[in-house]
Amino acid sequence: QVQLVESGGGLVQAGGSLRLSCAASGRTFSSYAMGWFRQAPGKEREFVAAISRSGGNTAYADSVKGRFTISRDNAKNTVYLQMNSLKPEDTAVYYCAADPTILTNTLPSSRYYHYWGQGTQVTVSS
């Protein structure tokens, strides 16, 4: 089992940047594929980005391609989401997720992730 703790959220102006971090407990972090999802008020949770166990494969939602970058540091048990050129529509609670068995072609599917963090708020002002 793994526990996930997100950090790095906050208030930023449109066009600004934030870097989210998700720290995982345990000694088998490299066995977990990792994903970032977000949920805006009144909306369903949606996929943002994901990364495979080795970091060799990544996936992004079309809405964030070219602006967001997901990465991982297995030595630090941490996954990151670098968010640039932020827009007001990026405002949401951002969640980190992990799973040890998810396949590469299902990385964007939230239903395949067994472990979730509590979320961190990102607010982008116009």
Side-chain angles (χ1 to χ4, degrees):
Q1 190 170 354
V2 64
Q3 292 183 327
L4 305 173
V5 179
E6 302 97 334
S7 62
L11 174 64
V12 64
Q13 289 187 333
S17 298
L18 282 174
R19 188 177 80 156
L20 304 184
S21 299
C22 174
S25 64
R27 294 176 288 180
T28 59
F29 177 71
S30 60
S31 299
Y32 292 82
M34 304 295 297
W36 285 99
F37 294 79
R38 66 187 182 187
Q39 188 166 18
K43 295 186 177 181
E44 293 186 353
R45 188 173 298 185
E46 65 174 3
F47 169 71
V48 176
I51 190 166
S52 62
R53 296 163 188 78
S54 67
N57 289 292
T58 58
Y60 295 93
D62 287 343
S63 59
V64 307
K65 279 182 181 177
R67 301 188 298 122
F68 290 11
T69 302
I70 188 170
S71 62
R72 66 188 298 158
D73 186 337
N74 286 343
K76 294 183 178 180
N77 284 13
T78 302
V79 63
Y80 304 97
L81 185 68
Q82 178 66 45
M83 306 186 295
N84 298 328
S85 302
L86 282 161
K87 304 175 181 180
E89 51 263 43
D90 294 318
T91 295
V93 177
Y94 283 70
Y95 297 91
C96 174
D99 196 87
T101 62
I102 192 171
L103 301 178
T104 300
N105 63 339
T106 57
L107 284 172
S109 300
S110 62
R111 63 191 180 106
Y112 292 106
Y113 289 85
H114 282 84
Y115 305 103
W116 292 82
Q118 293 300 306
T120 185
Q121 176 70 46
V122 171
T123 302
V124 184
S125 63
S126 57

